[in-house]
Amino acid sequence: MTIEADPTITRPRIFSGIQPSGAPHIGNDLGAIRNYVKLQHEYEAIYCIVDYHALTSLHDPERLRRQTLEMAAALLALGLDPERCTLFVQSHRPEHTELAWLLMTVTPVSWLERTPTYKEKKASQPDDVNHGLLTYPVLQAADIVMYKASLVPVGKDQAAHLELSREIVRAFNARYGDTFPEPLAVHTESPIVLGTDGIRKMSKSIGNTIDIFAPEDVLRKQIMSMVTDTQRILRTDPGRPEVCNVCQLHRPYSADFERIWEGERTARTGCVDTKKLLLARILEHYAEPRARYAELMDDPDGVDRILADGAERIRPMAQATMTEVREKMGLR
Ligand code: AQP
């Protein structure tokens, strides 16, 4: 079935999930969240804070509760509009875990064992290789197909997971008949944002982030500690903006980034100047969201209401999918 064939779908649907790992960093925003905001105007957009996924690594109940609130407040502060999109918490729609179980029965274990993230997590938390780490991509596939989403705005780091979702959809459709569309990833112009080390992707677990909602002194420390062009030793050495992560980050935040790059190339400006300017531009860019985030964090009940409304709004879609899937799989 193509998504156009479903009469309940008026605009193509998109879905994306984000872990409640606290307030987001600029990699989350540049790689995914700014697409969430943009696409809510063009699509029927559903966004989910994936707390079940977070349980595979986070076992502190208070922290999980707080971080879920922080992520919700952050997404709203960055521009998600509950009138234009649906924002909800994964565990508020228990259909997700039921569908994940059903999809597991069409997913060979070998597909899951070869997932790069599973291998990375096994190495990074060797004392906690829980079953959820292995089946994480199946739950992710369930999240997406529950709403028959055709597009998934994500960063490039999610490419392998999305490909696996497509394989799971193909396996299900082949066994039980056309049911789910194969989801396609949509990327922003910055699909992989490098961290402050300038080498690895910006990531909370690595600790190389620039945190959008952190106090100004923390942001200053994060930006001033960034690794620049390692071949530029002296202040008078010409810089190479193509390889300097500070220069690269000016591109999304500074309309005059070419002038800034020229300053680096000619050694008119030094790395410290370029970092200070980046801090100023990032603070300017996020001034409104930062103020709005503080307001939302002061009103947790208001945020909870938005999340509860979201979960309720999509209940009929989730239930319709489960009825169809149970029927097709032969469950009475
Ligand atoms: N560095 C990045 N560049 C581009 N996109 C990124 N995303 C994450 N990091 C980058 C995208 O942000 C969305 C949410 O990702 P997530 O749910 O994995 O959130 P996170 O746990 O906060 O992201 P981290 O910090 O990257 O997680 P860990 O520490 O687990 O490595 C996704 O669409 C992702 O692609």
Side-chain angles (χ1 to χ4, degrees):
M1 187 182 71
T2 64
I3 55 162
E4 288 79 15
D6 185 337
T8 64
I9 300 176
T10 47
R11 283 185 295 166
R13 248 179 225 159
I14 61 168
F15 174 95
S16 196
I18 190 159
Q19 291 207 52
S21 42
H25 50 73
I26 64 167
N28 298 135
D29 184 32
L30 295 174
I33 299 170
R34 54 177 53 188
N35 248 357
Y36 295 5
V37 175
K38 179 171 161 246
L39 298 172
Q40 69 183 336
H41 301 284
E42 297 159 37
Y43 294 90
E44 183 179 352
I46 301 174
Y47 302 122
C48 178
I49 301 174
V50 292
D51 54 350
Y52 282 147
H53 280 101
L55 286 171
T56 57
S57 297
L58 175 59
H59 310 307
D60 174 342
E62 254 333 294
R63 205 171 140 201
L64 179 57
R65 256 188 290 277
R66 179 173 43 80
Q67 292 188 173
T68 303
L69 174 71
E70 286 171 354
M71 181 53 83
L75 292 171
L76 294 166
L78 286 167
L80 286 199
D81 176 355
E83 301 292 320
R84 295 203 162 265
C85 69
T86 300
L87 176 65
F88 75 107
V89 176
Q90 188 181 31
S91 62
H92 293 178
R93 285 263 51 91
E95 292 87 355
H96 285 242
T97 40
E98 184 187 352
L99 186 55
W101 174 264
L102 299 177
L103 294 182
M104 275 180 226
T105 65
V106 300
T107 308
V109 177
S110 58
W111 290 3
L112 301 173
E113 282 172 336
R114 70 173 193 226
T115 313
T117 332
Y118 174 60
K119 291 182 192 159
E120 282 160 29
K121 287 283 178 183
K122 256 174 45 171
S124 68
Q125 51 184 76
D127 300 328
D128 182 22
V129 185
N130 59 75
H131 198 279
L133 287 179
L134 183 67
T135 45
Y136 189 109
V138 189
L139 180 56
Q140 189 170 1
D143 297 338
I144 299 166
V145 303
M146 179 71 76
Y147 307 101
K148 304 203 173 175
S150 51
L151 298 176
V152 184
V154 279
K156 247 291 156 47
D157 57 318
Q158 289 292 323
H161 278 179
L162 209 75
E163 192 43 47
L164 193 45
S165 289
R166 292 165 60 80
E167 286 181 281
I168 293 171
V169 163
R170 284 198 285 272
F172 187 95
N173 288 349
R175 191 174 290 173
Y176 295 107
D178 271 357
T179 308
F180 301 120
E182 280 183 41
L184 272 179
V186 199
H187 299 306
T188 64
E189 282 167 10
S190 317
I192 297 183
V193 178
L194 297 184
T196 49
D197 52 9
I199 306 169
R200 292 168 296 176
K201 80 153 195 157
M202 189 173 287
S203 156
K204 289 202 183 93
S205 43
I206 298 174
N208 59 359
T209 58
I210 297 174
D211 298 318
I212 300 170
F213 299 101
E216 205 174 311
D217 58 318
V218 174
L219 261 172
R220 177 171 298 108
K221 232 188 225 156
Q222 291 175 333
I223 293 175
M224 295 314 286
S225 73
M226 283 179 78
V227 174
T228 52
D229 175 1
T230 47
Q231 279 182 28
R232 192 176 185 198
I233 312 288
L234 300 172
R235 167 68 182 75
T236 47
D237 289 343
R240 295 174 304 158
E242 301 71 30
V243 298
C244 169
N245 195 28
V246 179
C247 288
Q248 288 301 317
L249 280 180
H250 268 290
R251 189 195 277 265
Y253 294 111
S254 301
D256 58 345
F257 76 91
E258 276 167 343
R259 192 187 59 81
I260 295 165
W261 287 17
E262 192 48 33
E264 285 277 313
R265 269 195 207 102
T266 56
R268 189 183 70 239
T269 48
C271 295
V272 172
D273 308 318
T274 313
K275 286 180 185 177
K276 282 185 181 159
L277 188 58
L278 181 63
L279 171 66
R281 294 286 166 86
I282 285 181
L283 283 170
E284 191 185 321
H285 182 88
Y286 292 113
E288 262 183 49
R290 284 165 63 87
R292 177 96 184 101
Y293 178 74
E295 283 167 22
L296 287 158
M297 287 301 288
D298 275 345
D299 180 21
D301 292 346
V303 176
D304 278 337
R305 270 195 300 278
I306 292 171
L307 296 173
D309 284 353
E312 204 42 44
R313 197 184 305 163
I314 49 166
R315 177 206 289 268
M317 287 182 225
Q319 290 182 339
T321 299
M322 291 318 301
T323 303
E324 181 185 0
V325 169
R326 287 191 201 111
E327 159 88 21
K328 282 189 168 160
M329 295 184 86
L331 301 171
R332 286 177 74 91

